Amino acid sequence: MILFSPKQEFISNPLNLSNCIANLPFMAEKLVSILIPNFNKEAYIPHTFQSICEQTYSNWECIVVDDHSTDASLDLLRDFAGKEPRIKVVRRPDHLPKGGNSCRNHAYSLASGEFVQWFDSDDLMLPHCLQEKVDFLESHPEFAFVASRAEIRYEEDYAGPQTFHQNIQSDQAVEDYLRFRILFITGGPLFRREVFEKTGLFSLGLKKHQEWELFFRVILNYPTWGIINKPTYVYLIHGNSISGQIANKREKLVNAEIAAVQTALNPATNPFSSKIPPAIYRQTCLRYLRFSLIHKRLKDAGWFFTQYLRQLTR
């Protein structure tokens, strides 16, 4: 509650009035940092960044890290940045490893926002995307992040099954997440910055399911979250997207899932793995022990069996 001084005090010291006005809640929109990696997405960039520029929420910065694209991506991005000062474009520094995770982490290091919105350079924000998420978090300080649904669009060049699953709510978050019953697509959640100051950023060791692994660390620390049960953005699945590529290559899907789950369970890569309830940890190990044996991944099967035995003493 703001307490106003008597009128005569404002007259004798007019700075008091300006200070009160400056501190009114409606006068200070918090900055949202939209963080985007890019590699060879020239066909999608005009639509993606136009959708960002058309947001009804105006206090945002968009930091794009280009992963040394070989198409016209970087020129298009610089053209947008030249017209819109809220867009900042940098190339991945040569000393950082190549890949989307490295680019995302570098974008975070350059960000100033109190809210963090991860996004991809081939998706689209609906005009109300940021406004609805910020409004929700501002009115619900008990939540560290809010998740919204996506409108799923399959492009003409995508030939895989059109059965993309998304569920953003659960009463047993850890178990459901490890069973892939919950799925936060990259652009769905808006986070308070403090989340990643605690959980860390993207794992450089993963090429697929990197968002899944990072968001798992998030829910281990923040097991309840806000929900906007309607689309605030458009998730495009096309022949060149990660989802599109994986859906058509079974072996890559198996490799990606095993690597992500191992990273999530391993104390060396997930410092919060001790927060996984022991029974759920053991069930997950047994499930992926069988999964690894079915796919003749004996080394991985041995890893899950060893972790299972260690959990028996917890």
Side-chain angles (χ1 to χ4, degrees), residues 103-119:
C103 290
R104 288 186 176 99
N105 292 350
H106 185 55
Y108 181 86
S109 73
L110 303 174
S112 303
E114 296 181 64
F115 296 118
V116 173
Q117 173 67 71
W118 305 106
F119 211 66

Side-chain angles (χ1 to χ4, degrees), residues 18 20 26 30 73-74 137-138 141 163 248 293 306:
S18 61
C20 286
F26 62 79
K30 292 181 179 178
S73 293
L74 188 57
L137 288 180
E138 289 288 73
T163 56
N248 293 309
L293 289 173
T306 299

Side-chain angles (χ1 to χ4, degrees), residues 31-36 49 52-53 55 57 60-64 86 88 107 111 113 115-120 125 130 190:
L31 181 65
V32 177
S33 293
I34 307 167
L35 308 180
I36 302 179
F49 286 86
I52 292 173
C53 291
Q55 289 299 293
Y57 189 84
W60 53 264
E61 64 175 359
C62 181
I63 300 175
V64 190
R86 291 174 293 181
K88 305 168 187 175
F115 296 118
V116 173
Q117 173 67 71
W118 305 106
F119 211 66
D120 288 328
M125 287 189 181
L130 297 181
L190 179 71

Side-chain angles (χ1 to χ4, degrees), residues 71-84:
D71 64 2
S73 293
L74 188 57
D75 290 336
L76 290 171
L77 289 168
R78 286 172 172 167
D79 184 58
F80 265 98
K83 299 173 183 176
E84 172 52 74

Side-chain angles (χ1 to χ4, degrees), residues 8 145 162 172 201 313:
Q8 60 269 23
F145 71 100
Q162 297 188 12
Q172 43 190 15
L201 297 170
T313 61

Side-chain angles (χ1 to χ4, degrees), residues 92-304:
R92 173 183 52 79
D94 290 335
H95 71 276
L96 296 179
K98 182 174 177 58
N101 296 350
S102 179
C103 290
R104 288 186 176 99
N105 292 350
H106 185 55
Y108 181 86
S109 73
L110 303 174
S112 303
E114 296 181 64
F115 296 118
V116 173
Q117 173 67 71
W118 305 106
F119 211 66
D120 288 328
S121 58
D122 55 356
D123 293 334
L124 304 171
M125 287 189 181
L126 298 176
H128 59 278
C129 178
L130 297 181
Q131 187 73 62
E132 291 207 26
K133 293 177 182 178
V134 171
D135 286 348
F136 186 96
L137 288 180
E138 289 288 73
S139 60
H140 294 84
E142 70 273 22
F143 293 124
F145 71 100
V146 60
S148 71
R149 297 180 63 82
E151 176 186 330
I152 307 297
R153 290 185 190 172
Y154 297 92
E155 298 287 88
E156 292 183 359
D157 66 345
Y158 173 71
Q162 297 188 12
T163 56
F164 197 90
H165 166 75
Q166 61 172 319
N167 177 38
I168 58 174
Q169 57 190 98
S170 171
D171 293 327
Q172 43 190 15
V174 174
E175 179 178 3
D176 284 346
Y177 201 90
L178 284 170
R179 286 183 171 272
F180 289 84
R181 293 170 179 162
I182 311 172
L183 178 62
F184 300 125
I185 308 173
T186 307
L190 179 71
F191 300 91
R192 301 186 195 275
R193 187 185 184 94
E194 67 195 48
V195 168
F196 302 108
E197 299 298 317
K198 182 172 185 176
T199 67
L201 297 170
F202 288 92
S203 171
L204 298 181
L206 292 176
K207 295 182 179 180
K208 308 287 189 298
H209 292 316
Q210 55 265 47
E211 293 93 342
W212 179 89
E213 188 275 331
L214 173 58
F215 295 168
F216 181 59
R217 277 182 272 136
V218 170
I219 70 165
L220 285 175
N221 288 282
Y222 305 96
T224 59
W225 56 88
I227 293 174
I228 298 174
N229 202 21
K230 66 178 182 179
T232 63
Y233 67 108
V234 177
Y235 182 64
L236 296 178
I237 299 179
H238 49 84
N240 291 324
S241 68
I242 298 297
S243 297
Q245 293 172 16
I246 289 180
N248 293 309
K249 297 180 180 179
R250 179 64 182 171
E251 184 177 355
K252 284 189 175 182
L253 178 61
V254 170
N255 293 344
E257 186 170 337
I258 288 176
V261 174
Q262 285 181 339
T263 303
L265 297 183
N266 192 342
T269 51
N270 179 7
F272 311 106
S273 60
S274 61
K275 294 186 177 184
I276 304 173
I280 294 175
Y281 196 111
R282 292 193 297 270
Q283 291 169 9
T284 305
C285 287
L286 289 177
R287 185 164 64 253
Y288 280 92
L289 168 61
R290 292 191 293 268
F291 186 70
S292 299
L293 289 173
I294 289 171
H295 292 280
K296 300 179 180 179
R297 306 277 302 246
L298 299 184
K299 183 178 179 180
D300 293 316
W303 188 90
F304 286 112

